Amino acid sequence: MYKKLFTSESVTEGHPDKLCDQISDAILDAYLEIDSMSRVACEVVSSSSFVIVTGEITSTAHIDIDSLVRTTIKDIGYTKPEYGFDYNTCSIFSSIKKQSPDIAMGVNNALESRGESSGSHLMGAGDQGIIFGYACNQTDTYMPMPIMLAHKLAKRLSDVRKAGLISYLRPDGKTQVTVEYDDGKAARVDTIVVSTQHDPDIDHKTIENDIIEHVIKNIIPKELIDENTKYYINPTGQFIIGGPVGDAGLTGRKIIVDTYGGYARHGGGAFSGKDPSKVDRSAAYAARYAAKNVVAAGLADICELQLGYAIGVAHPVSIMVDTFGTGKIDETKIAKIISEVFDFTPDGIVNMLNLRRPIYRNTASYGHFGREDCNFTWEETDKVNELIKLSKI
């Protein structure tokens, strides 16, 4: 028997980095809605009272980026001049160019199909990279408990703000949950941290009581709380200055929040603002899809899948499965079965998960995985029966 603590964090949609992620994905969605074959790599930076949109976009669509950025900022909740940053008065600068022809050449026609005269070409990976997918049976969503709870707290923090349940809250906020594991099983919540932006002249005790009553008690199961659970609510004492005024934001800077809260390995690639030809994003969804189905099929209690890609090459250069000793069959056999059931080429992933749709703005806050509110295709467990059948051959 042994005990350990593990901590994961999340941030609200009003966090400056998440604001940038949502703008990037709102722009991606707008292009895909008109031209599903758009190539988009959109980066956003925000600071003080301005937003910069840059990147490479090749598309037949023409988008009013200024209007789209302002609408996204308004939806998030930066609607009042007293916040120091608001959708109506912030300056927006845009610098967009087309995708590099050197990259497009390899994406349009993968190495495997060059020289063929059939006219049918595989799409090559949009970049080299290593990608991880993960699933475990700690929760009903097949996610590690610390990140699942942190996301739910962050979402609740935004929900009570937008509903007016806690009227003095502002859009920026962060959450953090520490779970104690007893012999590998999540046993209790040891520490909860919530930092929330708020109006001036609200005393700390009121904030603390409201957050515990309306946020924490609504999310954390009672059986995971005990007399030793620690609460840190706005531990600096106040959090009035927030959003891009308090801290510059940048697309792709919350990659651990976006994935598994540090519980699994990460290949380093960010998601937001990238169309599905970029395997940083699409293959991470496919790897999660495969890992989740493996655990749901009972082939392992934990499954981590790594995919390796070379730019301009369709098929992964490597597929690795690690069950951390929990596999019910050999890991080599699981990897072979996964390769038979799931197509990890860029074309295969796009078709398998129906990724050329405007679905990405919803991924850009509260995590890309384990979501029960968005019907993401990579969260389905429709391959379970096929995996079970192949595991018995």
Side-chain angles (χ1 to χ4, degrees), residues 116-245:
E116 292 185 2
S117 58
S118 65
S120 177
H121 299 301
L122 286 170
M123 181 168 66
D127 200 353
Q128 71 177 43
I130 54 173
I131 290 92
F132 288 93
Y134 181 86
C136 61
N137 59 6
Q138 287 184 29
T139 63
D140 291 341
T141 61
Y142 297 93
M143 288 289 285
M145 186 175 287
I147 188 65
M148 184 194 76
L149 293 177
H151 280 323
K152 287 188 174 184
L153 285 175
K155 180 67 163 59
R156 177 66 180 173
L157 195 57
S158 286
D159 287 346
V160 298
R161 169 178 61 87
K162 290 182 172 182
L165 188 58
I166 306 180
S167 60
Y168 54 79
L169 295 185
R170 292 183 174 184
D172 199 356
K174 305 178 80 171
T175 63
Q176 187 172 281
V177 177
T178 301
V179 173
E180 181 179 278
Y181 289 83
D182 192 342
D183 201 25
K185 303 294 183 182
R188 57 181 292 273
V189 170
D190 182 81
T191 307
I192 300 168
V193 183
V194 178
S195 294
T196 179
Q197 188 186 14
H198 58 87
D199 290 344
D201 304 321
I202 306 297
D203 67 275
H204 185 268
K205 193 64 180 176
T206 296
I207 297 171
E208 187 175 57
N209 290 340
D210 284 346
I211 295 301
I212 291 174
E213 185 64 31
H214 297 296
V215 177
I216 294 174
K217 286 185 177 180
N218 191 270
I219 295 299
I220 306 297
K222 291 180 180 179
E223 63 270 19
L224 294 177
I225 300 291
D226 59 28
E227 66 278 4
N228 296 316
T229 299
K230 298 177 285 293
Y231 302 90
Y232 295 103
I233 313 300
N234 281 14
T236 64
Q238 70 175 29
F239 184 3
I240 298 168
I241 301 169
V245 176

Side-chain angles (χ1 to χ4, degrees), residues 6-304:
F6 194 91
T7 302
S8 293
E9 70 157 346
S10 183
V11 298
T12 67
E13 61 207 69
H15 185 281
D17 292 332
K18 275 289 142 206
L19 178 141
C20 292
D21 283 343
Q22 288 168 91
I23 293 172
S24 292
D25 274 337
I27 291 170
L28 170 62
D29 280 352
Y31 277 99
L32 291 177
E33 189 167 11
I34 297 171
D35 176 9
S36 65
M37 301 303 291
S38 295
R39 297 277 173 79
V40 179
C42 179
E43 312 288 345
V44 174
V45 60
S46 64
S47 182
S48 300
S49 59
F50 67 85
V51 173
I52 300 173
V53 180
T54 188
E56 299 79 45
I57 298 176
T58 302
S59 177
T60 61
H62 299 281
I63 304 300
D64 183 349
I65 288 179
D66 187 286
S67 177
L68 187 59
V69 170
R70 293 188 192 281
T71 299
T72 305
I73 295 169
K74 181 181 179 182
D75 290 345
I76 291 168
Y78 287 104
T79 57
K80 300 179 180 179
E82 54 263 39
Y83 294 171
F85 178 87
D86 79 281
Y87 80 99
N88 200 37
T89 61
C90 66
S91 299
I92 299 170
F93 306 94
S94 179
S95 176
I96 302 292
K97 59 182 182 292
K98 290 187 176 182
Q99 184 180 61
S100 162
D102 291 349
I103 296 174
M105 179 172 59
V107 177
N108 294 339
N109 191 10
L111 180 66
E112 293 94 323
S113 58
R114 287 174 214 165
E116 292 185 2
S117 58
S118 65
S120 177
H121 299 301
L122 286 170
M123 181 168 66
D127 200 353
Q128 71 177 43
I130 54 173
I131 290 92
F132 288 93
Y134 181 86
C136 61
N137 59 6
Q138 287 184 29
T139 63
D140 291 341
T141 61
Y142 297 93
M143 288 289 285
M145 186 175 287
I147 188 65
M148 184 194 76
L149 293 177
H151 280 323
K152 287 188 174 184
L153 285 175
K155 180 67 163 59
R156 177 66 180 173
L157 195 57
S158 286
D159 287 346
V160 298
R161 169 178 61 87
K162 290 182 172 182
L165 188 58
I166 306 180
S167 60
Y168 54 79
L169 295 185
R170 292 183 174 184
D172 199 356
K174 305 178 80 171
T175 63
Q176 187 172 281
V177 177
T178 301
V179 173
E180 181 179 278
Y181 289 83
D182 192 342
D183 201 25
K185 303 294 183 182
R188 57 181 292 273
V189 170
D190 182 81
T191 307
I192 300 168
V193 183
V194 178
S195 294
T196 179
Q197 188 186 14
H198 58 87
D199 290 344
D201 304 321
I202 306 297
D203 67 275
H204 185 268
K205 193 64 180 176
T206 296
I207 297 171
E208 187 175 57
N209 290 340
D210 284 346
I211 295 301
I212 291 174
E213 185 64 31
H214 297 296
V215 177
I216 294 174
K217 286 185 177 180
N218 191 270
I219 295 299
I220 306 297
K222 291 180 180 179
E223 63 270 19
L224 294 177
I225 300 291
D226 59 28
E227 66 278 4
N228 296 316
T229 299
K230 298 177 285 293
Y231 302 90
Y232 295 103
I233 313 300
N234 281 14
T236 64
Q238 70 175 29
F239 184 3
I240 298 168
I241 301 169
V245 176
D247 190 12
L250 186 65
T251 299
R253 200 158 56 181
K254 286 290 177 284
I255 59 176
I256 300 302
V257 171
D258 284 345
T259 52
Y260 307 100
Y263 211 92
R265 285 173 280 198
H266 196 295
F271 298 157
S272 290
K274 296 179 180 178
D275 75 84
S277 73
K278 281 75 171 173
V279 290
D280 277 348
R281 180 173 217 161
S282 58
Y285 293 165
R288 161 65 178 175
Y289 181 44
K292 183 174 181 177
N293 274 270
V294 166
V295 176
L299 304 187
D301 296 334
I302 303 168
C303 181
E304 185 178 73

